[in-house]
């Protein structure tokens, strides 16, 4: 019997029982280990012994990015320093960076559940995994690698960027899997085709990290490289890092590791939990994390829980792709727009390429305007522009409830980046 990294529980009651035990342990551990957590719980009038069922979760106060920043450099630490074996940090777009500590067991747990990603993606020890993400304090290429080795596949620790080298490795080492950002995946796919390397490589699967990616972009990468599967790997530094879930080969949503953390979806305005299927902010509570456990941590990421069962039969529940950050929400003429919605609308229109930009400007009369620049499909012809523009405008009007100006540009004319591409440009006066 081969080793499995899947949860030891196989049914929902078993999973809930395991979650309750994890929650009770976490709350008691945080209360005992961290003055900041103890104060938050005392202020909220809740003590560890009050957590008797999973429903009691909502009695606990939220934790936010501010809590992490206030305790800089080692916030919410719940173990003595001699137990800490590693740190990672997230660069953070606003304010001070967040630093997270890990114990030996935290790193082992992370490695174990990350190896589950490779199992979910149906890799075998024959697979060769080119890890084209960053290594260092900000990012966690090391987690891709440690899990790959624990799983028993072959790691090619390539690091990010450097398309020349990536292409060379794909050919020379015959990598079957590559882990990278979606932007990097697109660049690489185009480069492999430009160099005519398609028949010389054996790439079958791509695992995308840390970036939203539209359907059109994914289709394009899949076609250009002839991939069997593209997988979405979520991850944030606060919650270990990458590898906290993966979609299975049915691609019906991202299975998340509910035996390691509880995911709630809340309304970011009212803070009330939302029912399955509704989009809101992801809030996570860890069940086994020692150094810095998270209790109802507001991630600012937007997604939804996917209702029903997956055909794969896994007990692990699913969330949708990340639709954006609640902080990235654009308010345009009183309409709330998430960048993920724009991806989604443009992806549904044949004849468009995968790259786009949204420019927001304020006219001298005080009216806000939205201009959408989008690439034509590589095979597209400018003769069809007029109809395509009308189609894009109508789609925005019916699905997002705004009326932008639309401009089509040649395929390949918008900038691509090896890291996250900037797509929304808000030039309105504050
Ligand atoms: Zn599944």
């Amino acid at each position: 019997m081969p080793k499995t990294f899947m949860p030891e529980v196989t049914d929902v009651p078993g999973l809930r029982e395991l979650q309750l035990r994890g929650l009770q342990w976490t709350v008691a551990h945080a209360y005992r280990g961290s003055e900041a957590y103890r104060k938050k719980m005392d202020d909220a009038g809740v003590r560890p012994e009050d957590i008797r069922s999973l429903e009691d979760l909502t009695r606990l106060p939220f934790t936010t990015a501010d809590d992490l920043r206030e305790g800089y450099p080692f916030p919410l630490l719940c173990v003595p320093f001699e137990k800490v074996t590693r740190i990672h940090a997230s660069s953070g777009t606003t304010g001070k960076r967040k630093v997270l500590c890990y114990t030996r067991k935290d790193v082992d747990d992370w490695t174990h559940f990350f190896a589950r990603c490779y199992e979910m993606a149906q890799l075998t020890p024959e697979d060769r995994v080119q890890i084209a993400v960053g290594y260092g304090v900000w990012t966690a290429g090391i987690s891709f690698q440690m899990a790959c080795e624990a799983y028993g596949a072959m790691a090619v620790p390539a690091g990010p960027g450097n398309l020349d080298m990536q292409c060379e490795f794909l050919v020379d080492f015959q990598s079957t899997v590559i882990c990278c950002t979606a932007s990097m995946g697109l660049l690489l796919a185009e480069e492999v085709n430009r160099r005519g390397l398609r028949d010389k490589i054996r790439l079958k699967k791509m695992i995308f990290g840390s970036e939203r990616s539209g359907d059109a972009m994914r289709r394009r990468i899949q076609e250009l490289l002839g991939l069997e599967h593209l997988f979405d790997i979520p991850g944030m530094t606060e919650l270990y890092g990458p590898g906290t879930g993966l979609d299975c080969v049915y691609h019906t949503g991202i299975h998340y590791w509910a035996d390691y953390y509880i995911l709630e979806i809340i309304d970011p305005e009212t803070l009330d939990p939302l029912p399955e299927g509704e989009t809101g902010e992801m809030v996570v509570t860890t069940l086994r994390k020692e150094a810095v456990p998270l209790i109802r941590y507001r991630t600012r990421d937007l997604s939804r829980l996917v209702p029903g069962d997956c055909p794969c039969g896994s007990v692990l529940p699913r969330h949708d792709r990340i639709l954006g950050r609640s902080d990235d929400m654009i308010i345009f003429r009183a309409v709330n727009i998430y960048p993920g919605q724009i991806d989604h609308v443009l992806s549904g229109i044949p004849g468009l390429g995968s790259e786009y930009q949204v420019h927001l400007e304020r006219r001298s009369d005080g009216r806000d305007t939205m201009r959408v620049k989008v690439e034509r499909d590589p095979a597209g012809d400018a003769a069809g522009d007029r109809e395509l523009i009308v189609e894009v405008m109508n789609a925005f009007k019916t699905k997002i409830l705004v009326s932008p100006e639309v401009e089509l540009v040649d395929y390949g004319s918008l900038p691509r980046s090896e890291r996250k591409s900037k797509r929304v440009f808000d030039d309105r006066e504050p």
Side-chain angles (χ1 to χ4, degrees):
M1 185 65 188
K3 181 172 164 67
T4 177
F5 295 88
M6 291 298 166
E8 57 265 41
V9 294
T10 51
D11 57 18
V12 174
L15 184 60
R16 287 180 59 87
E17 175 56 33
L18 194 144
Q19 286 184 327
L20 176 59
R21 275 188 280 123
L23 177 64
Q24 287 171 326
W25 175 83
T26 297
V27 172
H29 172 66
Y31 192 85
R32 203 170 44 232
S34 152
E35 209 183 303
Y37 267 133
R38 192 160 51 242
K39 180 169 188 315
K40 283 173 81 76
M41 284 189 241
D42 285 344
D43 289 350
V46 56
R47 294 180 56 88
E49 53 271 27
D50 297 330
I51 307 302
R52 294 191 193 90
S53 74
L54 286 179
E55 284 64 41
D56 292 327
L57 177 65
T58 55
R59 300 176 61 177
L60 293 161
F62 290 104
T63 308
T64 65
D66 287 341
D67 293 313
L68 291 176
R69 277 191 284 265
E70 275 163 23
Y72 184 86
F74 303 116
L76 303 179
L77 188 62
C78 294
V79 297
F81 255 103
E82 72 250 26
K83 301 271 271 178
V84 176
T85 57
R86 195 197 289 177
I87 63 162
H88 279 291
S90 71
S91 47
T93 44
T94 50
K96 212 157 204 165
R97 68 182 67 103
K98 298 168 219 157
V99 182
L100 279 298
C101 294
Y102 301 72
T103 65
R104 179 70 247 170
K105 180 181 177 289
D106 292 338
V107 171
D108 288 346
D109 282 352
W110 186 10
T111 302
H112 181 86
F113 69 63
F114 199 134
R116 183 184 290 173
C117 295
Y118 296 130
E119 186 171 343
M120 200 54 114
Q122 298 184 353
L123 268 58
T124 74
E126 302 289 313
D127 275 296
R128 299 171 182 190
V129 185
Q130 190 160 323
I131 300 165
V133 303
Y135 285 72
V137 77
W138 308 121
T139 52
I142 190 169
S143 60
F144 282 84
Q145 176 160 345
M146 289 179 70
C148 178
E149 291 166 0
Y151 189 68
M154 184 180 100
V156 180
N162 200 343
L163 288 178
D164 274 343
M165 187 192 71
Q166 304 289 354
C167 287
E168 204 179 304
F169 286 0
L170 287 178
V171 174
D172 292 356
F173 303 151
Q174 295 283 285
S175 306
T176 55
V177 180
I178 189 161
C179 308
C180 57
T181 62
S183 306
M184 165 94 182
L186 181 60
L187 280 173
L188 189 68
E190 289 174 344
E191 191 62 18
V192 161
N193 276 264
R194 204 176 61 73
R195 298 181 182 208
L197 299 176
R198 255 295 279 281
D199 298 336
K200 298 192 176 71
I201 64 173
R202 269 205 320 141
L203 202 57
K204 297 281 184 296
K205 294 170 181 174
M206 186 177 278
I207 298 177
F208 279 174
S210 81
E211 191 188 19
R212 283 183 302 103
S213 52
D215 289 327
M217 186 176 190
R218 306 160 73 86
R219 275 197 304 272
R220 176 98 185 118
I221 295 171
Q222 194 154 9
E223 277 167 23
L224 281 173
L225 290 172
L227 297 174
E228 289 165 9
H229 290 286
L230 295 178
F231 298 97
D232 259 299
I233 192 159
M236 74 188 89
T237 312
E238 299 93 309
L239 186 61
Y240 298 91
T244 48
L246 199 84
D247 44 338
C248 67
V249 295
Y250 292 97
H251 306 293
T252 59
I254 295 166
H255 288 284
Y256 66 90
W257 312 153
D259 50 340
Y260 283 88
Y261 63 99
I262 295 173
L263 173 62
E264 299 171 85
I265 303 287
I266 63 160
D267 181 317
E269 295 292 319
T270 66
L271 307 184
D272 291 329
L274 290 171
E276 264 189 356
E278 282 188 33
T279 299
E281 184 176 328
M282 301 167 88
V283 171
V284 292
T285 302
T286 57
L287 301 172
R288 313 187 191 197
K289 211 160 173 273
E290 290 183 337
V292 187
L294 297 179
I295 295 178
R296 303 195 84 199
Y297 178 70
R298 295 188 58 188
T299 67
R300 302 281 166 187
D301 281 331
L302 299 163
S303 189
R304 62 184 195 104
L305 295 170
V306 177
D309 296 317
C310 183
C312 76
S314 172
V315 70
L316 293 164
R318 291 161 296 158
H319 66 73
D320 207 340
R321 277 186 232 155
I322 310 297
L323 265 174
R325 308 265 305 159
S326 54
D327 311 331
D328 291 344
M329 187 177 77
I330 307 162
I331 303 180
F332 176 76
R333 295 189 186 167
V335 179
N336 296 356
I337 304 169
Y338 300 118
Q341 290 177 286
I342 298 174
D343 282 348
H344 193 70
V345 162
L346 294 175
S347 293
I349 301 174
L352 299 179
S354 56
E355 291 300 309
Y356 66 89
Q357 289 182 347
V358 174
H359 294 265
L360 301 169
E361 276 145 28
R362 181 154 295 158
R363 295 193 317 209
S364 52
D365 64 1
R367 294 258 306 163
D368 290 351
T369 62
M370 178 188 289
R371 201 154 44 84
V372 177
K373 279 170 92 163
V374 54
E375 288 186 358
R376 258 177 240 112
D377 186 77
D381 178 351
D385 276 4
R386 189 189 285 262
E387 285 158 40
L388 202 47
I389 286 172
V390 170
E391 199 179 342
V392 174
M393 286 171 61
N394 286 339
F396 269 81
K397 208 178 238 170
T398 55
K399 293 184 181 142
I400 307 184
L401 310 177
V402 296
S403 299
E405 293 165 34
V406 177
E407 182 186 346
L408 291 176
V409 297
D410 289 338
Y411 182 79
S413 64
L414 293 177
R416 275 123 170 95
S417 134
E418 288 174 5
R419 295 183 60 79
K420 299 179 188 189
S421 298
K422 181 171 167 65
R423 298 198 171 91
V424 177
F425 299 82
D426 193 344
D427 298 323
R428 296 173 295 182
E429 294 291 317

